[in-house]
Amino acid sequence: MSILVLGTVALDSVKTPYGARKEMLGGSAVHFSMSARIFTKVILVSIIGKDFPQKHLKFLHKKGIILASLIKTQGKTFRWQGEYRADMNAAITLATELGVLNSFRLEVREHHRKIRNIFLANVDPDIQASLLDTMHLPGLVGLDSMNYWINNKKKRLLKVMQRADLFVANDQEARSLTSEHNLYQAAKCLLRLGPKIVVIKKGEHGVIFYSKGLMFSLPAYPVHKVVDPTGAGDTFAGALMGYLSTQKKINSQHLRKALAYATVSASFNVEGFGVNKTKDLTRQDIESRLKKFRLFTNF
């Protein structure tokens, strides 16, 4: 089954202890797509400016990402500039240029509105709600956000959460949204806000899974050299939703396997700048690393 992702397509400039790159292909929808495509067809809904490099569109098309609902309009493409220093879990935002995101109006093709598997990646909650309003029969709905929207549009975000089946957040976002420092208490609070499943990412410390009938945690895959963490959370979400979208009925076994796939996929992302390590990622690569992960965790 296909999956539709709403999010950003960006040009990222990143500096880490291992170097710097300017105007790389990035954005939440792009990083999500790089892992989700391995499991299923991906329809990308976003907006770009006239300045967006044609080579990036050709690249996405070559990777099988369906771009019929990607809008290209006058103006500048969304840009993000950030830096990672000693703490590779925390990005320092140096500059953000919203560009065409300021005037983003959805244009989802009619046949795409029938897709049941939907992921609302990090973007304005009003746009996330608008996307859901256009869909005919949403089935599995995943949701991500960030502290900016938690701080500035919390009420709107909470309304979207009521319509989501799965909510993905990092530890800072979970604490900010619930005012709970203990992450298990935070997960419990998030569950009360609407989603049936809560996943809290803890970077190099792994992930917590929490639902009414199931709770467990997984460590991160041991990566020896973290080059660029940008997009790791979106890559994680892509594999998670990508695998779940292929299952007719989701049970505890599928959820555990989905979290393992997501963890392993994210480990590839951090090993290179931008999409450098995920652009050629295959199912075989993931399965091979998953075997090593299972030996490491006895999972």
Side-chain angles (χ1 to χ4, degrees):
M1 296 179 70
S2 301
I3 188 166
L4 183 146
V5 57
L6 166 70
T8 58
V9 175
L11 297 173
D12 289 343
S13 296
V14 178
K15 183 179 180 181
T16 81
Y18 295 100
R21 300 290 187 275
K22 291 185 177 181
E23 303 224 326
M24 301 180 293
L25 174 63
S28 58
V30 168
H31 286 292
F32 178 96
S33 299
M34 286 301 99
S35 55
R37 68 180 172 85
I38 295 168
F39 300 92
T40 189
K41 289 184 179 180
V42 180
I43 293 88
L44 190 155
V45 179
S46 190
I47 187 170
I48 54 175
K50 291 289 186 181
D51 61 344
F52 191 75
Q54 188 66 25
K55 66 179 181 179
H56 292 332
L57 290 175
K58 290 181 179 179
F59 164 78
L60 291 170
H61 178 73
K62 186 177 180 180
K63 292 301 170 184
I65 312 303
I66 299 170
L67 305 175
S69 292
L70 173 64
I71 304 166
K72 189 172 186 178
T73 187
Q74 294 291 341
K76 290 185 124 184
T77 299
F78 171 56
R79 283 169 168 80
W80 179 79
Q81 182 180 351
E83 181 177 355
Y84 297 88
R85 295 175 184 170
D87 184 5
M88 295 290 275
N89 285 316
I92 301 168
T93 296
L94 302 177
T96 301
E97 297 178 42
L98 292 177
V100 291
L101 281 178
N102 281 317
S103 57
F104 189 11
R105 295 292 181 273
L106 293 167
E107 293 181 17
V108 182
R109 297 296 178 93
E110 180 59 33
H111 57 289
H112 290 164
R113 297 182 183 188
K114 299 176 182 178
I115 294 172
R116 294 179 56 79
N117 301 303
I118 302 160
F119 189 75
L120 307 171
N122 177 31
V123 75
D124 189 323
D126 287 328
I127 299 175
Q128 293 174 328
S130 295
L131 186 282
L132 286 181
D133 290 341
T134 68
M135 305 305 288
H136 296 320
L137 292 169
L140 177 64
V141 178
L143 172 66
D144 194 1
S145 193
M146 65 181 295
N147 277 330
Y148 179 83
W149 304 119
I150 294 170
N151 295 333
N152 293 282
K153 284 195 173 184
K154 186 174 181 179
K155 288 184 178 180
R156 299 295 296 166
L157 175 58
L158 291 175
K159 287 186 177 181
V160 180
M161 287 181 67
Q162 293 173 4
R163 305 171 69 181
D165 301 291
L166 184 155
F167 182 63
V168 182
N170 65 31
D171 48 0
Q172 293 177 342
E173 293 158 355
R175 289 180 173 123
S176 177
L177 193 53
T178 64
S179 299
E180 290 281 356
H181 183 76
N182 182 287
L183 290 178
Y184 288 98
Q185 289 296 328
K188 191 175 181 179
C189 288
L190 291 171
L191 207 68
R192 289 199 293 264
L193 295 176
K196 301 177 183 69
I197 298 169
V198 171
V199 176
I200 300 179
K201 302 166 293 180
K202 302 186 293 175
E204 64 181 323
H205 302 295
V207 61
I208 291 173
F209 177 95
Y210 196 95
S211 69
K212 188 175 181 180
L214 183 65
M215 180 181 71
F216 64 91
S217 63
L218 277 181
Y221 183 87
V223 175
H224 298 292
K225 185 178 179 180
V226 177
V227 174
D228 175 18
T230 310
D234 301 306
T235 305
F236 177 98
L240 175 67
M241 285 288 295
Y243 174 74
L244 290 178
S245 69
T246 65
Q247 306 305 308
K248 291 182 179 179
K249 186 177 181 180
I250 298 174
N251 55 34
S252 62
Q253 182 180 355
H254 293 145
L255 289 167
R256 289 177 182 273
K257 193 167 185 178
L259 262 291
Y261 275 134
T263 297
V264 167
S265 298
S267 74
F268 283 101
N269 173 275
V270 303
E271 292 179 329
F273 282 99
V275 299
N276 188 49
K277 290 294 183 178
T278 55
K279 62 185 176 68
D280 297 318
L281 195 60
T282 66
R283 182 69 176 260
Q284 185 177 357
D285 295 328
I286 294 177
E287 296 290 354
S288 177
R289 186 165 286 192
L290 182 60
K291 288 181 181 178
K292 296 178 183 178
F293 186 56
R294 282 175 170 159
L295 289 174
F296 172 70
T297 60
N298 290 320
F299 182 70

